[in-house]
């Protein structure tokens, strides 16, 4: 039996390349992102503001979609490809921190994806706030040697500057949206607008130079908007945009119902996973219903729903009316890794701990975090567990 990530480090891809090889891909100067830095939290404040004063992303998304339609994007938002009946593609979630964790996985991604037809980035393309000038070191540079198109759906971090940079990069250099009328004073939208984080006026001045890193004709892809469907070979892959708070606006929900009626088997790509950390999040649609209602409908023939946002790998094989739908968290694309040992013993939708799969393994996760906290607290002798000890504890 060949090694896998469940039994050896080599099976997970570690130890098969020269240590530090990825560092040759990195820029000379690297911005360090710390989510303990108050300045970073302040820059990423729009999610909190949306939860307090109302979420404007549905209206903003609708304006972006209308602008793309006026520019000639297909109204059904379907990307037609000429892939054969048998092909492969990459799904990579939560990529863009631009530091060692992102670049460390690039050699493995390039090796695994060397024969793939295209890749999909499933949420949080750019941290911390989706700025245009971050795309050079956090998108174009790390994936300059991936010789196929890359499509993307935005995560909440890509929305922290109203999606402007994402639209420029992935949607045909979409021009900025015209400003909306100022809200009436002393209302919740007015309070939100006073505190709302917006891009710098000079943001994006280096974007044209960065694009040269992925300028080959085979690498080009223009998508119709922040949500789309790709018809590839015998399947339809549908990407939805769950915005700042993990929900769908009514307009996108109606589109999702329509494109899901196509008779082909389907895979859903979403920024917010439907099953994650042993919990069920069906994703509400404005006006009624949920995304998972659409996924579970046997007439729609979904075989998988893959989401990012949480920075690890999880898989829940859920039985739905005699068939299995694979609900996957694919968030190991390069951001710091979220722990798996903190996930409660899985018992959801008749998926038990025996059926559940995750990476890193729970024991490896506990061992890593025990060393991390032992080092930070200078109490290594009390906190640090070996991999074998951590596996026994778990």
């Amino acid at each position: 039996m060949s090694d896998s990530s469940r039994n050896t480090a080599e099976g997970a891809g570690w130890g098969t390349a020269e240590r530090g090889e990825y560092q040759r891909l990195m820029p000379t100067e690297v911005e360090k992102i710390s989510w303990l830095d108050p300045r970073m939290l302040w820059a990423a404040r729009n999610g909190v503001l949306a939860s307090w004063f109302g979420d404007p992303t549905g209206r903003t998304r609708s304006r972006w979609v209308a602008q793309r339609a006026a520019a000639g994007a297909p109204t059904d938002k379907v990307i037609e490809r000429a892939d054969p009946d048998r092909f492969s593609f990459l799904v990579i979630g939560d990529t863009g921190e631009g530091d060692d964790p992102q670049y460390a996985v690039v050699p493995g991604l390039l090796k695994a994806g060397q024969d793939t037809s295209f890749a999909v980035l499933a949420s949080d393309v750019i941290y911390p706030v989706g700025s245009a000038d971050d795309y050079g070191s956090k998108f174009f540079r790390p994936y300059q040697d991936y010789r196929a198109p890359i499509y993307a759906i935005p995560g909440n971090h890509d929305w922290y500057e109203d999606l402007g940079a994402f639209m420029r990069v992935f949607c045909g250099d979409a021009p900025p949206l015209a400003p909306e009328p100022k809200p009436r004073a002393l209302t919740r939208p007015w309070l939100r607008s006073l505190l709302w984080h917006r891009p710098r006026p000079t943001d994006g001045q280096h974007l044209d130079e960065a694009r040269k890193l992925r300028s080959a004709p085979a690498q080009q892809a223009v998508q119709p908007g922040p949500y789309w469907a790709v018809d590839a070979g015998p399947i339809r892959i549908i990407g939805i945009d769950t915005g700042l708070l993990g929900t769908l606006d009514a307009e996108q929900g109606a589109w999702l119902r329509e494109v899901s009626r196509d008779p082909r088997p389907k895979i859903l790509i979403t920024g917010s996973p439907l099953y994650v950390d042993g919990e069920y999040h069906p994703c509400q649609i404005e006006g009624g219903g949920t995304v998972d209602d659409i996924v579970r409908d046997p007439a729609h023939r979904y075989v998988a729903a893959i989401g990012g946002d949480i920075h690890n790998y999880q898989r829940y094989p859920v039985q739905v009316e005699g068939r299995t739908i694979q609900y996957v968290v694919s968030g190991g694309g390069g951001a710091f890794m979220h722990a798996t040992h903190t996930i409660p013993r899985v018992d959801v939708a008749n998926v038990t701990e025996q059926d559940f799969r995750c990476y890193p393994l729970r024991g490896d996760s506990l061992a890593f975090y025990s060393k991390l906290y032992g080092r930070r607290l200078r109490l290594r002798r009390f906190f640090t567990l070996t991999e074998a000890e951590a596996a026994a504890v778990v």
Side-chain angles (χ1 to χ4, degrees), residues 17-331:
E18 180 185 347
R19 185 177 294 273
E21 174 189 347
Y22 71 88
Q23 292 176 333
R24 289 194 288 269
L25 305 171
M26 297 179 66
T28 304
E29 295 184 7
V30 176
E31 176 196 23
K32 289 291 185 181
I33 292 178
S34 172
W35 297 109
L36 301 177
D37 186 339
R39 294 171 300 177
M40 198 70 67
L41 296 175
W42 176 244
R45 63 189 178 270
N46 285 0
V48 175
L49 294 176
S51 65
W52 287 353
F53 300 117
D55 184 2
T57 55
R59 185 174 63 253
T60 304
R61 182 188 298 113
S62 182
R63 294 170 67 213
W64 280 123
V65 169
Q67 177 180 287
R68 290 291 294 130
T75 56
D76 61 1
K77 302 170 186 63
V78 175
I79 302 165
E80 301 282 354
R81 292 182 51 87
D83 298 294
D85 286 345
R86 293 181 64 86
F87 74 97
S88 58
F89 67 100
L90 287 173
V91 179
I92 316 166
D94 304 282
T95 52
E97 287 199 344
D99 54 6
D100 289 71
Q102 178 175 11
Y103 280 87
V105 300
V106 168
L109 289 171
L110 293 176
K111 182 178 179 180
Q114 59 187 348
D115 296 321
T116 53
S117 297
F118 57 90
V120 176
L121 301 187
S123 100
D124 293 340
V125 180
I126 300 294
Y127 295 95
V129 293
S131 299
D133 280 333
D134 284 340
Y135 269 85
S137 61
K138 301 178 183 182
F139 174 72
F140 290 105
R141 186 185 185 101
Y143 309 120
Q144 61 184 309
D145 293 327
Y146 180 68
R147 297 301 176 186
I150 298 177
Y151 306 101
I153 56 168
N156 56 315
H157 287 267
D158 302 301
W159 266 103
Y160 287 157
E161 291 190 349
D162 290 336
L163 211 62
F166 179 97
M167 295 295 294
R168 290 182 66 180
V169 171
F170 294 104
C171 301
D173 209 12
L177 287 174
E180 286 194 291
K182 291 184 179 180
R184 188 159 49 89
L186 302 179
T187 61
R188 294 172 71 208
W190 177 78
L191 289 170
R192 183 183 64 221
S193 70
L194 290 179
L195 299 171
W196 199 251
H197 172 83
R198 295 177 177 85
R200 303 183 307 273
T202 58
D203 192 43
Q205 59 185 340
H206 304 299
L207 195 53
D208 287 341
E209 185 67 23
R211 290 182 200 273
K212 296 177 182 178
L213 295 172
R214 279 187 52 84
S215 58
Q219 295 175 312
Q220 303 312 300
V222 176
Q223 58 192 57
Y227 58 92
W228 40 259
V230 172
D231 284 348
I235 65 171
R236 171 167 281 188
I237 302 160
I238 296 174
I240 60 173
D241 170 18
T242 53
L244 283 171
L245 301 182
T247 60
L248 255 64
D249 59 284
E251 179 181 328
Q252 186 179 181
W255 169 86
L256 177 61
R257 292 185 176 96
E258 181 62 32
V259 295
S260 295
R261 294 190 181 102
D262 184 272
R264 280 167 283 206
K266 296 173 193 69
I267 297 172
L268 181 75
I269 310 291
T270 170
S272 299
L274 304 183
Y275 283 91
V276 59
D277 293 346
E279 298 179 348
Y280 179 47
H281 300 274
C283 189
Q284 297 295 320
I285 300 174
E286 182 186 18
T290 69
V291 168
D292 201 37
D293 291 339
I294 298 171
V295 170
R296 287 171 176 256
D297 188 330
H300 296 156
R301 302 186 67 194
Y302 279 91
V303 297
I306 305 173
D309 191 51
I310 302 301
H311 306 171
N312 52 40
Y313 172 82
Q314 302 173 42
R315 180 164 63 86
Y316 303 80
V318 177
Q319 298 294 316
V320 179
E321 298 186 19
R323 71 194 199 281
T324 302
I325 301 177
Q326 301 289 348
Y327 290 88
V328 177
V329 179
S330 180

